[in-house]
Amino acid sequence: MDKWMLATLLCLHVIGTIAIYEATANTALHGLHVNNIVLVALSCIPMLCIGLVDYRILISKLSYVLYGVGIGLLVVVMFTGENINGAIRWLSIGGFQLQPSEMMKLATVMLAAYLLSKRAGESLRPLQDLLPICIVFLIPLLLILKQPDLGTALVFVGVLLSMLWIGNIRAMYMLLCMGVITISIGLICWLYYTDQELLAKIVQPHQLSRIQTFLDPTSDADKAWHVNNAMNAIGSGGLSGNMGFYLRRGFIPYAYSDSIFVVIGEHYGFLGSSILLLCYFMLIYRMVLIVKQCRDIGGAYLVLGILGILVFQIIVNIGMHIGLMPLTGISLPFISYGGSALLTNMVAMGFVLSVHLHKDEFLLDIPVRVEAAVTNTTK
């Protein structure tokens, strides 16, 4: 297996565990770092097991099944899900909480990679290829928006665009998609400054407050409280960090999960944040190398889809805490505390390791293709 990738994952888990310890020290949640160590150890088992199995077998046999199970769980969440902070995103199973939207990201990428691989790199056709793949992403996206969970839904949009681009979509269609997104963002901004009553009918109240915080952070100090404290905390960390003034006094909500980058920025400063980003860079670099070395286009699509999930979440999570993006509920991969997200990310890394392990192998139908080639040569 890719030893550099495994070493990088180990470094990320160490950083995450330390950050969780700092975020929960002297609080009622103290001890979550121990739970995180247990979760990491348990999630290594499926990662290594999947890494040893040929990913092509898993995709061809399980992609539709996992996608169907994920959609079913999202539907179940709508009716029997647990309401936490106004959002219904979790299923309570015994003493554990499962967030189906996390596993749905990987299941969707698996199915999309399988569908794209059938084109073998040829240009995507509008009805035969483009429409089915868009539907594959659209169904879970709409179900997740119902929860509501705009952050996770945006991940699906970002990954869809990246996979379509890599899957050889025609430039005209990609420009059309980007145009629709640009017009939508521009319309939201225009409505915010001209008709907030109409905008309030389109978006949820908490989403409107986040738009207001991003576009006009000085308009309402209460709504911008989270973002302003996050930026002040990261800025106060300086070069090497401090004792955590903002964190210790409760100015950073959900510091052990979505806001954990603030903990690293305040406690360990620019150096600690840089080390984290370098680990992410190393992980992304190894995944790009695996894509370049893979001889199976389906494996390349799979790794690129997983890469899209990670990169999107990293950029959005860090960006929203330094004022570059609107605040939304997206966790930081391998660092934020959360069993569902951690298990999904580790299983995804198992598929990446599997692609690396089998990157030099031909497709499973090599005997048929070799026999046909020999026959043609003989003739």
Coordinates of all heavy atoms in Angstrom, one line a residue, residues 309-352:
I309 N -14.5 15.5 -2.9 CA -15.1 15.7 -1.6 C -14.2 16.3 -0.6 O -14.5 17.2 0.1 CB -15.6 14.3 -1.1 CG1 -16.7 13.7 -2.1 CG2 -16.1 14.4 0.3 CD1 -17.1 12.3 -1.7
L310 N -13.0 15.8 -0.5 CA -12.0 16.2 0.5 C -11.6 17.7 0.3 O -11.6 18.5 1.2 CB -10.8 15.3 0.5 CG -11.0 13.9 0.9 CD1 -9.6 13.1 0.8 CD2 -11.5 13.8 2.3
V311 N -11.3 18.0 -1.0 CA -10.8 19.4 -1.3 C -11.9 20.4 -1.0 O -11.7 21.5 -0.4 CB -10.3 19.5 -2.7 CG1 -10.0 20.9 -3.1 CG2 -9.0 18.6 -2.9
F312 N -13.1 20.1 -1.5 CA -14.3 21.0 -1.2 C -14.5 21.2 0.2 O -14.6 22.4 0.7 CB -15.5 20.4 -1.9 CG -16.7 21.4 -1.9 CD1 -16.9 22.2 -2.9 CD2 -17.6 21.4 -0.8 CE1 -17.9 23.1 -3.0 CE2 -18.7 22.3 -0.8 CZ -18.8 23.2 -1.9
Q313 N -14.5 20.2 1.1 CA -14.7 20.4 2.5 C -13.6 21.1 3.2 O -13.8 21.9 4.0 CB -14.9 19.0 3.1 CG -16.2 18.3 2.7 CD -16.4 17.0 3.5 OE1 -17.4 16.3 3.2 NE2 -15.6 16.7 4.5
I314 N -12.3 20.9 2.7 CA -11.2 21.6 3.3 C -11.3 23.0 3.0 O -11.1 23.9 3.9 CB -9.9 21.0 2.8 CG1 -9.7 19.5 3.3 CG2 -8.7 21.8 3.3 CD1 -8.6 18.8 2.6
I315 N -11.5 23.4 1.8 CA -11.6 24.8 1.4 C -12.7 25.5 2.1 O -12.5 26.6 2.6 CB -11.7 24.9 -0.1 CG1 -10.4 24.4 -0.8 CG2 -12.0 26.3 -0.6 CD1 -10.4 24.4 -2.3
V316 N -13.9 24.9 2.1 CA -15.1 25.6 2.7 C -14.9 25.7 4.2 O -15.2 26.8 4.8 CB -16.3 24.8 2.3 CG1 -17.5 25.4 3.0 CG2 -16.6 24.9 0.8
N317 N -14.5 24.6 4.8 CA -14.4 24.7 6.3 C -13.4 25.7 6.8 O -13.7 26.5 7.7 CB -14.0 23.3 6.9 CG -13.9 23.3 8.4 OD1 -12.9 23.7 9.0 ND2 -15.0 22.8 9.0
I318 N -12.2 25.7 6.2 CA -11.2 26.7 6.6 C -11.6 28.1 6.1 O -11.5 29.1 6.8 CB -9.8 26.3 6.0 CG1 -9.4 25.0 6.6 CG2 -8.8 27.4 6.3 CD1 -8.1 24.5 6.1
G319 N -12.2 28.2 4.9 CA -12.5 29.5 4.3 C -13.6 30.2 5.2 O -13.6 31.4 5.3
M320 N -14.6 29.4 5.7 CA -15.6 30.1 6.4 C -15.2 30.6 7.8 O -15.8 31.5 8.3 CB -16.8 29.1 6.6 CG -16.6 28.0 7.5 SD -18.0 26.8 7.5 CE -17.5 25.6 8.8
H321 N -14.1 30.1 8.3 CA -13.6 30.5 9.6 C -12.6 31.7 9.5 O -12.2 32.2 10.5 CB -13.0 29.4 10.4 CG -14.0 28.4 10.9 ND1 -14.0 27.1 10.5 CD2 -15.0 28.5 11.8 CE1 -15.0 26.5 11.1 NE2 -15.6 27.3 11.9
I322 N -12.2 32.0 8.3 CA -11.3 33.2 8.1 C -12.0 34.2 7.2 O -11.4 35.1 6.7 CB -10.0 32.8 7.5 CG1 -10.2 32.1 6.1 CG2 -9.2 31.8 8.4 CD1 -8.9 31.7 5.4
G323 N -13.3 34.1 7.1 CA -14.1 35.2 6.5 C -14.1 35.1 5.0 O -14.6 36.1 4.3
L324 N -13.6 34.1 4.3 CA -13.6 34.0 2.9 C -14.8 33.4 2.3 O -15.1 33.5 1.1 CB -12.4 33.3 2.4 CG -11.0 33.9 2.7 CD1 -9.9 33.0 2.2 CD2 -10.9 35.3 2.2
M325 N -15.6 32.7 3.1 CA -16.8 32.0 2.6 C -17.9 32.1 3.7 O -17.6 32.3 4.9 CB -16.5 30.5 2.3 CG -15.7 30.3 1.1 SD -15.5 28.6 0.6 CE -14.6 28.8 -0.9
P326 N -19.2 32.0 3.3 CA -20.3 32.0 4.3 C -20.2 30.8 5.2 O -19.7 29.7 4.9 CB -21.5 31.9 3.4 CG -21.1 32.3 2.0 CD -19.7 31.9 1.9
L327 N -20.6 31.0 6.4 CA -20.6 30.0 7.5 C -21.6 28.9 7.1 O -22.8 29.2 6.8 CB -20.9 30.6 8.8 CG -20.9 29.7 10.0 CD1 -19.4 29.3 10.3 CD2 -21.5 30.3 11.3
T328 N -21.2 27.7 7.2 CA -22.0 26.5 6.9 C -21.5 25.3 7.7 O -20.4 25.3 8.1 CB -22.1 26.2 5.4 OG1 -23.1 25.2 5.1 CG2 -20.7 25.8 4.9
G329 N -22.4 24.3 7.8 CA -22.0 23.1 8.6 C -21.3 22.1 7.8 O -21.9 21.1 7.4
I330 N -20.0 22.3 7.6 CA -19.1 21.3 7.0 C -18.0 20.9 7.9 O -17.3 21.9 8.4 CB -18.6 21.8 5.6 CG1 -19.8 21.9 4.6 CG2 -17.5 20.9 5.0 CD1 -19.4 22.4 3.2
S331 N -17.7 19.7 8.1 CA -16.7 19.3 9.0 C -15.3 19.3 8.3 O -15.3 19.3 7.0 CB -16.9 17.9 9.5 OG -17.0 16.9 8.5
L332 N -14.2 19.3 9.0 CA -12.9 19.3 8.5 C -12.4 17.8 8.5 O -12.3 17.2 9.5 CB -11.9 20.1 9.4 CG -10.6 20.4 8.8 CD1 -10.7 21.2 7.5 CD2 -9.8 21.2 9.8
P333 N -12.2 17.2 7.3 CA -11.9 15.8 7.1 C -10.7 15.3 8.0 O -9.7 16.0 8.1 CB -11.5 15.7 5.6 CG -12.2 16.8 5.0 CD -12.2 17.9 6.0
F334 N -11.0 14.2 8.7 CA -10.0 13.6 9.6 C -9.6 14.4 10.8 O -8.9 13.9 11.7 CB -8.7 13.2 8.8 CG -8.9 12.5 7.6 CD1 -8.7 13.1 6.3 CD2 -9.3 11.2 7.6 CE1 -8.9 12.4 5.2 CE2 -9.5 10.5 6.4 CZ -9.3 11.1 5.2
I335 N -10.1 15.6 11.0 CA -9.8 16.4 12.1 C -11.0 16.6 13.0 O -10.9 16.4 14.3 CB -9.2 17.8 11.7 CG1 -8.1 17.6 10.7 CG2 -8.8 18.6 12.9 CD1 -6.9 16.9 11.3
S336 N -12.1 17.0 12.5 CA -13.4 17.2 13.3 C -13.8 15.9 13.9 O -13.7 14.8 13.3 CB -14.5 17.7 12.4 OG -14.1 19.0 11.9
Y337 N -14.4 16.0 15.1 CA -15.0 14.8 15.8 C -16.3 14.4 15.1 O -17.2 15.3 14.9 CB -15.1 15.1 17.3 CG -15.7 13.9 18.0 CD1 -14.8 12.9 18.4 CD2 -17.0 13.8 18.3 CE1 -15.3 11.8 19.1 CE2 -17.5 12.7 19.0 CZ -16.7 11.7 19.4 OH -17.2 10.6 20.1
G338 N -16.5 13.2 14.9 CA -17.7 12.7 14.3 C -17.5 11.3 13.7 O -16.7 11.1 12.8
G339 N -18.3 10.3 14.2 CA -18.1 8.9 13.8 C -18.5 8.7 12.4 O -17.8 8.0 11.7
S340 N -19.6 9.2 12.0 CA -20.1 9.0 10.6 C -19.1 9.5 9.6 O -18.8 8.9 8.6 CB -21.5 9.6 10.4 OG -22.4 9.0 11.3
A341 N -18.7 10.8 9.8 CA -17.8 11.4 8.8 C -16.4 10.7 8.8 O -15.8 10.5 7.7 CB -17.6 12.9 9.2
L342 N -15.9 10.3 10.0 CA -14.6 9.6 10.0 C -14.7 8.3 9.4 O -13.8 7.9 8.6 CB -14.2 9.5 11.5 CG -12.9 8.7 11.7 CD1 -11.7 9.5 11.1 CD2 -12.7 8.5 13.2
L343 N -15.8 7.5 9.6 CA -15.9 6.2 9.0 C -16.0 6.3 7.5 O -15.3 5.6 6.7 CB -17.1 5.5 9.5 CG -17.4 4.1 8.9 CD1 -16.2 3.2 9.2 CD2 -18.7 3.5 9.5
T344 N -16.8 7.3 7.0 CA -16.9 7.5 5.6 C -15.6 7.9 4.9 O -15.2 7.4 3.9 CB -17.9 8.6 5.3 OG1 -19.2 8.2 5.8 CG2 -18.1 8.8 3.8
N345 N -14.9 8.8 5.5 CA -13.6 9.2 5.0 C -12.5 8.1 5.0 O -11.8 8.0 4.0 CB -13.0 10.4 5.8 CG -13.8 11.7 5.6 OD1 -14.4 11.9 4.5 ND2 -13.9 12.6 6.6
M346 N -12.5 7.3 6.0 CA -11.6 6.2 6.1 C -11.9 5.1 5.0 O -11.0 4.5 4.4 CB -11.5 5.6 7.5 CG -11.0 6.6 8.5 SD -9.2 6.9 8.2 CE -8.5 5.5 8.9
V347 N -13.2 4.8 4.9 CA -13.6 3.9 3.8 C -13.2 4.4 2.5 O -12.8 3.7 1.6 CB -15.1 3.6 3.9 CG1 -15.6 2.9 2.7 CG2 -15.5 2.8 5.2
A348 N -13.4 5.7 2.3 CA -13.0 6.4 1.0 C -11.5 6.2 0.8 O -11.0 5.9 -0.3 CB -13.4 7.8 1.0
M349 N -10.7 6.4 1.8 CA -9.2 6.2 1.7 C -8.9 4.7 1.4 O -7.9 4.4 0.7 CB -8.6 6.6 3.0 CG -8.6 8.1 3.3 SD -7.7 9.0 2.0 CE -9.2 9.6 1.0
G350 N -9.8 3.8 1.9 CA -9.6 2.4 1.5 C -9.7 2.1 0.0 O -9.0 1.4 -0.6
F351 N -10.7 2.8 -0.6 CA -10.8 2.7 -2.0 C -9.6 3.3 -2.8 O -9.2 2.8 -3.8 CB -12.1 3.4 -2.5 CG -13.4 2.6 -2.3 CD1 -14.2 2.8 -1.3 CD2 -13.7 1.5 -3.2 CE1 -15.4 2.0 -1.1 CE2 -14.8 0.8 -3.0 CZ -15.6 1.0 -2.0
V352 N -9.1 4.4 -2.2 CA -7.9 5.0 -2.8 C -6.8 4.1 -2.7 O -6.0 3.9 -3.7 CB -7.6 6.4 -2.2 CG1 -6.3 7.0 -2.7 CG2 -8.8 7.4 -2.4

